[in-house]
Amino acid sequence: MKKNFLLKSFLTFILVQIFINTFSQSFSSGSLLISINTAIEAYNTEYKYQIKNTNFDTLIKDQAGNKNYFLALEYGLLKWFGLGIKGKINNYYTEKDKYTGVTPTANSFEIAVTARAHVIRTKHFDLPIGFSFGGSSLTYNTNDPYYPITITGKGTYFDIHIQPMVYFKRLGFNLYIGSPAVNYSDMTTNRDAINQLIITTWKGKGVILGIGLQYRILN
């Protein structure tokens, strides 16, 4: 008798899930989602210093963190799969230089395409899992009034993420949890002195945690 009860309960649960996913879904083919988020990122970084015009270089390991904002659009190609685009602005945390007494600034911008599978879709809940891949640009300024140095970098951005979404009709809120990576293989500086110590590469891997709002425009 107990086994029959458990079996009936299990079958009922399955039927309810099938009904919910068939007739009431927060994401489907033709859906157009817009979301805006704020987040923080923490990276373990590696960057290489090199004396210009020589073969001398050294690799330094460090940490970096930023607060960021990003805007994303996603279109449902299938009832469970979407493609989109994301733009992201990052402002890095920096400390005052102990020699100049000036606080440098560092920021970056990323634009990436996204591909996501919506593994759970109900009327009030959506669970997309996917990745973003694109380009990133970095700008670092020492802000030294006597000897200003600007370092710029161009490279790639990638993340794997999960973004659980709760809906109240078309509007809702979400969490963004992921693992990002950046790789600036093209670094330049405004100072062009011979035998100058310069950064030639900068890369990092870490975590991103964010919260935001989303709105379903279509469907």
Side-chain angles (χ1 to χ4, degrees), residues 23 49 111 134 150 196:
F23 297 102
Y49 273 111
I111 186 165
T150 298
Q196 178 187 352

Side-chain angles (χ1 to χ4, degrees), residues 2-18:
K2 186 176 181 180
K3 290 183 178 180
N4 289 335
F5 174 78
L6 292 175
L7 180 60
K8 289 180 180 179
S9 298
F10 177 75
L11 290 175
T12 301
F13 174 78
I14 295 297
L15 290 173
V16 168
Q17 293 301 312
I18 292 174

Side-chain angles (χ1 to χ4, degrees), residues 149-161:
I149 296 175
T150 298
I151 300 171
T152 59
K154 294 181 180 179
T156 59
Y157 174 85
F158 176 82
D159 82 21
I160 299 175
H161 63 267

Side-chain angles (χ1 to χ4, degrees), residues 17-173:
Q17 293 301 312
I18 292 174
F19 177 84
I20 290 175
N21 282 277
T22 301
F23 297 102
S24 182
Q25 299 171 351
S26 53
F27 185 89
S28 63
S29 176
S31 292
L32 180 61
L33 300 181
I34 181 170
S35 60
I36 184 168
N37 283 67
T38 181
I40 56 173
E41 285 178 323
Y43 284 105
N44 288 318
T45 64
E46 292 183 357
Y47 51 96
K48 183 184 291 185
Y49 273 111
Q50 181 178 3
I51 295 181
K52 193 170 184 180
N53 299 327
T54 72
N55 292 323
F56 173 82
D57 61 53
T58 182
L59 186 67
I60 296 177
K61 295 185 178 182
D62 202 354
Q63 291 81 40
N66 68 61
K67 57 183 177 180
N68 57 73
Y69 308 90
F70 55 94
L71 177 69
L73 288 172
E74 182 183 4
Y75 180 75
L77 293 180
L78 303 172
K79 65 180 181 180
W80 57 271
F81 179 75
L83 287 178
I85 188 169
K86 176 173 67 176
K88 182 164 163 281
I89 298 174
N90 313 291
N91 294 303
Y92 280 87
Y93 300 105
T94 58
E95 295 181 350
K96 182 183 294 186
D97 189 281
K98 63 180 179 180
Y99 299 108
T100 65
V102 178
T103 302
T105 55
N107 55 75
S108 63
F109 173 75
E110 286 131 15
I111 186 165
V113 296
T114 61
R116 313 202 304 177
H118 295 251
V119 295
I120 299 178
R121 296 168 295 112
T122 67
K123 183 177 181 180
H124 297 292
F125 183 74
D126 181 20
L127 183 61
I129 299 174
F131 68 89
S132 305
F133 178 76
S136 182
S137 63
L138 172 71
T139 302
Y140 177 90
N141 288 298
T142 61
N143 296 326
D144 186 339
Y146 303 105
Y147 193 76
I149 296 175
T150 298
I151 300 171
T152 59
K154 294 181 180 179
T156 59
Y157 174 85
F158 176 82
D159 82 21
I160 299 175
H161 63 267
I162 183 171
Q163 191 176 12
M165 297 179 169
V166 176
Y167 278 92
F168 305 96
K169 295 185 177 181
R170 293 181 179 272
L171 180 67
F173 67 89

